[in-house]
Amino acid sequence: MLSPVRFPRAGTSLSSLPSIRPSRRPTSRLVRPRTIASLHADTVASPKICYTSISRATVTKPSSNRAPSSVRRYHSPLHPRLPLHEYTNSQTAILTASLAHIPTYGFTPAALTRGARDAGFLDVSVQLLPRGEFDLVLFWLASRRGLLRGRVEDGTVFGAGEKSALGVDEKVQMLVMERLRMNTDVKEFWQDALAQMSLLGNIPLALSELHALSNDILNLAGDTAVDSTWYARRMAVGAIYASAEMVMTRDPTPNMAETEAFVRRRFEDKQVVKDKVEGVGSWVGFWGNTVVGVGRSWGLKI
């Protein structure tokens, strides 16, 4: 506590006043750093707690013992990830052996059972495939994509000198027909495969496989454009191929002549639509530039 200050009387000289020295005793106690919990307890017990102790308090951050989540937080729960489209060695062996039985038994559990036997597994081993017949459909689609890529690389689809002379659209049309002809042996069962792919739970993987096929066809045809129509071209090729599969299932002609004519007409229609869209874009651009020029000639700041 500070001693009271006494003022000198009138007429007293300054030399006779005693010197005032600061007291060495601290006027207040140092505040010891405390946690928020202790401060809260002191506040409840004594409402006259000094605010300086809160400003100097040490805040202890609670440690989190939870393991980091593998799910990325920026993914919307309304759009879950696609199911895994990968197979173990046992699943791959069963599915690979089952491909030879599809022309006889179709995309059925009977083909899977006989494939498991050929691979050296028991009949109950088909339970390793959680999606059953749909796994066989997906494996067929993926294997045909790999076979199409192999035929392009060894020169079966395009000739040695013919590949450089063909345009991108012609190559795409040839690749679509080559892929459709790979379904010749299973054409009578393909409607069952389409029924499997049309189920609600199987649609995402079926569309993903269709997009992968469209992307492979355009890449194998030499399409290297990366403009704004990248997705539109793949959607167009996928739509043509999907519609051609429906025609293929009802095509009685040898070597799929009717299906080939349908594919040719669809590519011609696509080119017509493309030309019309480009024409409309050119017309809009011309009149837009004209309006801008007239406005600037009138002094408008555009």
Side-chain angles (χ1 to χ4, degrees):
M1 183 175 180
L2 296 176
S3 59
V5 179
R6 298 178 180 178
F7 296 93
R9 296 179 180 178
T12 307
S13 61
L14 295 178
S15 58
S16 61
L17 293 177
S19 60
I20 301 175
R21 298 180 181 180
S23 176
R24 296 182 180 180
R25 293 181 300 175
T27 59
S28 61
R29 294 181 300 174
L30 294 177
V31 180
R32 181 179 300 175
R34 289 181 289 180
T35 61
I36 293 296
S38 61
L39 290 174
H40 177 70
D42 291 344
T43 305
V44 175
S46 176
K48 298 181 180 180
I49 184 171
C50 183
Y51 288 101
T52 56
S53 60
I54 297 180
S55 62
R56 298 181 183 180
T58 303
V59 180
T60 304
K61 184 178 180 181
S63 60
S64 177
N65 297 326
R66 293 181 298 178
S69 175
S70 59
V71 180
R72 287 173 282 187
R73 299 296 182 184
Y74 55 83
H75 279 188
S76 172
L78 301 178
H79 300 83
R81 295 181 179 181
L82 291 176
L84 293 178
H85 193 183
E86 299 177 355
Y87 300 103
T88 61
N89 294 335
S90 301
Q91 292 172 338
T92 303
I94 295 174
L95 291 171
T96 302
S98 301
L99 294 179
H101 299 282
I102 295 177
T104 304
Y105 300 98
F107 299 92
T108 59
L112 289 174
T113 301
R114 283 163 176 78
R117 292 175 184 174
D118 295 345
F121 293 90
L122 299 176
D123 295 352
V124 74
S125 301
V126 297
Q127 301 298 327
L128 294 174
L129 303 171
R131 290 182 287 262
E133 301 93 323
F134 185 59
D135 276 324
L136 186 58
V137 174
L138 290 177
F139 198 79
W140 171 269
L141 296 174
S143 63
R144 299 309 99 174
R145 284 196 296 110
L147 182 60
L148 179 64
R149 191 180 303 109
R151 289 186 179 181
V152 173
E153 292 175 355
D154 60 16
T156 304
V157 180
F158 307 122
E162 184 182 2
K163 183 176 180 180
S164 58
L166 295 174
V168 174
D169 291 340
E170 295 176 348
K171 293 178 185 178
V172 170
Q173 185 174 343
M174 293 176 63
L175 289 171
V176 168
M177 284 306 307
E178 184 68 23
R179 174 59 186 88
L180 289 171
R181 291 190 181 97
M182 294 180 183
N183 294 337
T184 303
D185 296 336
V186 299
K187 184 171 65 173
E188 57 179 319
F189 304 109
W190 196 246
Q191 288 187 353
D192 299 334
L194 294 176
Q196 287 284 339
M197 289 186 283
S198 64
L199 296 178
L200 183 61
N202 300 337
I203 290 177
L205 282 177
L207 292 178
S208 176
E209 189 63 35
L210 180 61
H211 170 72
L213 175 62
S214 304
N215 187 47
D216 287 352
I217 288 176
L218 287 171
N219 289 334
L220 293 173
D223 183 23
T224 57
V226 291
D227 54 3
S228 58
T229 62
W230 191 91
Y231 293 99
R233 289 195 301 273
R234 279 149 182 80
M235 291 178 62
V237 173
I240 293 175
Y241 178 82
S243 59
E245 280 187 334
M246 299 297 297
V247 177
M248 177 197 66
T249 58
R250 302 187 302 269
D251 187 2
T253 59
N255 201 21
M256 298 185 184
E258 185 177 340
T259 304
E260 186 175 1
F262 173 82
V263 171
R264 184 170 57 253
R265 291 194 301 270
R266 295 289 77 78
F267 273 96
E268 292 175 357
D269 295 342
K270 182 179 75 69
Q271 186 63 34
V272 170
V273 173
K274 178 182 177 182
D275 294 340
K276 289 183 178 180
V277 171
E278 291 179 352
V280 171
S282 301
W283 181 82
V284 172
F286 170 77
W287 282 107
N289 294 331
T290 302
V291 171
V292 171
V294 172
R296 288 178 177 175
S297 64
W298 290 349
L300 297 178
K301 296 181 179 181
I302 54 176

